[in-house]
């Protein structure tokens, strides 16, 4: 991260793309969060492996953070990117948490400890884990694209000078 | 920096720290006017992240997501390591139980391994929790958490600065009470001292992990998270009640400089985790070992002499003495005796359960507990452990910090009464819901 915090003046198109991205990711987290709450409350698919309504509420909070960023991004406010960043941080925390849980459960299964003998990997493939991977990939590609454009702009400026 | 003394004299009723901070920032502002050229490129990540982390409405939900993740990490990720330690102690126990001298075999198997060995099973969640706290602290978020909570507390008319000692209470109640010295005003300080023990300290974690793991294995992490939240809610509620009834003093806003966000280092967090874990291990090797031996002795000795069944021991007499009082909560004499010994240190509750039930391993203890109390009583038990007097060290610290036997006695009595009342509410409401 440079001293400017990695920011440069975004173009209108970039703001729009970021706003659409925030809205889509927010909707994804929101829908799956609500679904997870309903599954946890046995309203939908009572035999599901993922039975964690509080975990669903956490996904809804991530969704709210993303969705709160849509408006400032549409208003071409740089601070809108902060919502994307915090949404990614929270999504990342939930993702890493699930990865660690999956890893330790796999260790228990590998050691054939009593409580882990019937563990299956499907029970740990939660929405928090699955949602973050595409979000991360798209975020990285968007960031690279912006970085590339910034470098090109800087080079052009350097050439003119 | 010099602040004219007349400023502090004239501004009566204004916190000198606020005056000093105002002066400091006015000088900083003057310097910045000369040297700083505002522009979009100067906008930093730290400032922008604070827009969300300290957001008026999103700040609290974001805080809850982070804390929930911390407790899930603490419980779920450490579960396998707990099981590994348990297997090791079961293996050692299978050898010590074969020692030909019966009392020595019982002392080592039921007393030392059943007591201290069982408590050592809870080292992983304690280590994991401190690792997570260290990451939050090093990243700069913990200070923001205090800021987010301060806004709520001040809105309720409470002393915002109290949240710093309360936050320390997540680790240990003793330093939390001592940190109340930083709170302005005698009444505000006393309120902080009285409510600090309601914040769930690390010593209570083994009890939650054991009970939640036995009765609610699928949502144990969430149960532990909810208990910590209940501790905060009860602390704020009691502070508000004290404020409206026995203490009436003006609140002052929290003034703190938020550090820049930083990426925490793995090395630093591991060192912090190990420091806390080694403290726990020292405690296990000294006080808890001594406590386990005394408990084992009391569980094997009664009016009939040494070697009596546990039902005829002094521990049983102690448990039965308070049984009528705890009968509405559904606690049996074994649980009551464990709670009584828990006044020495909260870890002893788990240690005592292991010794009194005289069974080896979490699975056997889980079976014994499941037969002893209902799931509703199990929640009531965790709530009671959360709210009743943490330990004798805390009682001593309250006496030292208040300098008053009256307030010390009040602290102990109100916490036990609150714990009992809250546990009773759980039993009544739970009974109505479950049927």
């Amino acid at each position: 991260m440079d001293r400017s915090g990695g920011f440069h003046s975004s173009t209108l198109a970039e703001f729009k793309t970021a706003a659409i991205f925030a809205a889509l990711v927010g909707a994804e987290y929101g829908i799956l969060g609500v679904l997870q709450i309903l599954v946890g409350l046995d309203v939908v698919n009572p035999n599901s492996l993922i039975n964690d309504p509080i975990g669903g509420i956490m996904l809804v909070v991530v969704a709210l953070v993303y969705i709160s960023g849509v408006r400032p991004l549409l208003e071409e406010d740089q601070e809108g990117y902060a919502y994307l960043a915090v949404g990614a941080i929270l999504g990342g925390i939930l993702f890493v948490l699930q990865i660690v849980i999956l890893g330790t459960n796999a260790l228990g299964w590998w050691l054939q400890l009593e409580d882990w003998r019937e563990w299956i990997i499907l029970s740990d493939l939660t929405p928090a884990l699955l949602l973050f991977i595409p979000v991360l990939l798209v975020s990285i590609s968007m960031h690279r694209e912006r970085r590339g454009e910034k470098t090109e702009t800087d080079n052009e400026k350097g050439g003119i000078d | 920096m010099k602040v004219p003394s007349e400023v502090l004299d004239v501004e009566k009723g204004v916190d000198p720290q606020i005056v000093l901070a105002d002066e400091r920032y006015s000088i900083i502002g003057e310097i910045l006017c000369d040297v700083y050229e505002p522009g979009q490129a100067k906008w930093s990540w730290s400032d922008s992240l604070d827009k969300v982390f300290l957001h008026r409405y999103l700040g609290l939900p974001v805080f809850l997501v982070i804390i929930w993740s911390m407790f899930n990490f603490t419980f779920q990720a450490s579960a396998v390591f707990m099981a590994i330690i348990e297997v090791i102690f079961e293996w050692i126990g299978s050898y010590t139980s074969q020692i030909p001298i019966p009392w020595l075999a019982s002392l080592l198997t039921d007393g030392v391994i059943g007591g201290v060995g069982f408590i050592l099973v809870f080292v992983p969640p304690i280590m994991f929790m401190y690792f997570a706290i260290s990451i939050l602290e090093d990243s700069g978020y913990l200070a923001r958490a205090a800021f987010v909570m301060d806004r709520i507390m001040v809105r309720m008319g409470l002393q915002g600065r109290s949240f710093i000692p309360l936050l320390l209470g997540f680790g240990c109640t003793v330093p939390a009470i001592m940190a109340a010295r930083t709170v302005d005003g005698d009444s505000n300080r006393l309120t902080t001292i009285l409510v600090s023990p309601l914040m769930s300290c690390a010593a209570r974690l083994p009890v939650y992990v054991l009970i939640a793991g036995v009765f609610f294995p699928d949502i144990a992490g969430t149960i532990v998270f909810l208990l910590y939240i209940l501790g905060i809610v009860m602390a704020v509620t009691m502070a508000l009640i004290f404020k409206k009834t026995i203490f009436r003093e003006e609140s002052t806003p929290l003034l703190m400089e938020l550090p820049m966000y930083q990426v925490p280092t793995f090395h630093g967090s591991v060192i912090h985790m190990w420091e806390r874990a080694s403290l726990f291990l020292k405690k296990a090797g000294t006080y808890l070992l001594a406590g386990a031996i005394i408990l084992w002795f009391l569980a094997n000795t009664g009016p009939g002499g040494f070697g009596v069944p546990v039902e005829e021991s002094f521990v049983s007499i102690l448990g039965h003495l308070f049984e009528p009082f705890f009968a509405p909560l559904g606690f049996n004499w074994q649980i009551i005796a464990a709670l009584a010994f828990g006044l020495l240190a909260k870890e002893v509750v788990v240690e005592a359960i292991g010794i009194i039930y005289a069974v080896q391993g979490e699975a056997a203890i889980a079976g014994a507990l499941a037969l002893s109390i209902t799931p509703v009583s199990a929640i009531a038990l965790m709530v009671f452990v959360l709210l009743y007097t943490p330990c004798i060290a805390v009682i001593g610290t309250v006496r030292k910090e208040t300098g008053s036997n009256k307030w010390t006695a009040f602290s102990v009595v109100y916490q036990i009464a609150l714990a009992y009342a809250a546990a009773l509410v759980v039993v009544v409401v739970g009974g109505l819901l479950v049927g």
Side-chain angles (χ1 to χ4, degrees), chain A residues 1 3-7 9 51-55 58 61-62 64-65 68 78-83 85-86 89-90 93-94 97 100-101 104-105 107-108 111 113-114 116, chain B residues 40-45 48-49 51-53 55 58 61-62 64-66 68-70 72-74 76-81 83-84 87 128 218-219 222 225-226 362-363:
Chain A
M1 191 187 298
R3 278 178 65 82
S4 67
F7 285 104
S9 301
N51 182 14
D52 183 10
I54 305 274
M58 302 304 148
V61 174
V62 178
L64 286 175
V65 171
S68 303
Q78 290 275 25
E79 280 175 8
Y81 286 108
Y83 290 88
V86 173
I89 290 170
L90 293 182
I93 288 173
L94 296 176
L97 171 71
V100 172
I101 291 170
T104 53
N105 282 340
L107 176 67
L111 293 170
L113 296 170
E114 199 179 329
W116 281 266
Chain B
Q40 281 184 315
K42 301 285 182 188
W43 194 50
S44 74
W45 267 109
S48 60
L49 291 179
K51 294 279 176 196
V52 187
F53 281 122
H55 191 275
L58 286 174
V62 166
L64 292 177
V65 169
I66 292 172
W68 177 82
S69 303
M70 184 177 96
N72 264 276
F73 171 71
T74 298
Q76 296 202 43
S78 66
V80 71
F81 302 104
I84 292 169
V87 167
F128 277 52
D218 294 336
I219 51 162
T222 300
F225 160 73
L226 291 175
E362 200 185 347

Side-chain angles (χ1 to χ4, degrees), chain B residues 193-204:
Chain B
I193 289 171
L194 289 175
V195 302
S196 289
L198 303 179
M199 301 295 280
S200 195
C201 66
R204 286 173 247 204

Side-chain angles (χ1 to χ4, degrees), chain B residues 231-374:
Chain B
I232 297 173
V233 170
M234 292 307 280
V236 173
T237 308
M238 287 314 296
L240 196 64
I241 291 170
F242 289 143
K243 183 91 184 163
K244 300 272 181 202
T245 53
I246 43 181
F247 307 124
R248 290 174 188 276
E249 198 164 310
E250 282 299 307
S251 298
T252 52
L254 176 70
L255 190 75
M256 61 191 298
E257 289 186 31
L258 297 175
M260 295 281 282
Y261 287 104
Q262 285 180 0
V263 178
T265 62
F266 183 76
H267 178 72
S269 298
V270 167
I271 287 176
H272 186 76
M273 175 184 81
W274 176 245
E275 277 171 1
R276 299 300 311 196
S278 61
L279 277 178
F280 181 79
L281 289 172
K282 273 181 198 161
K283 197 176 178 184
T286 50
Y287 302 115
L288 296 179
L289 178 62
I293 292 169
I294 293 166
L295 253 168
W296 170 82
F297 184 75
L298 291 174
N300 284 279
T301 314
F306 180 74
V308 294
V310 72
E311 288 80 11
E312 295 166 23
S313 68
F314 288 123
V315 171
S316 166
I317 292 168
L318 177 74
H320 281 112
L321 187 68
F322 295 103
E323 210 172 12
F325 180 70
F326 285 99
L329 304 182
F331 299 171
N332 61 6
W333 70 263
Q334 289 96 332
I335 300 284
I336 297 163
L339 289 173
F341 285 107
L343 280 171
L344 298 172
K346 277 291 162 285
E347 298 93 335
V348 177
V349 174
V350 168
E351 195 174 69
I353 288 172
I355 292 170
I356 295 168
Y357 280 109
V359 282
Q360 285 290 303
E362 200 185 347
I365 289 174
L369 274 173
L371 289 173
S372 305
I373 51 173
T374 63

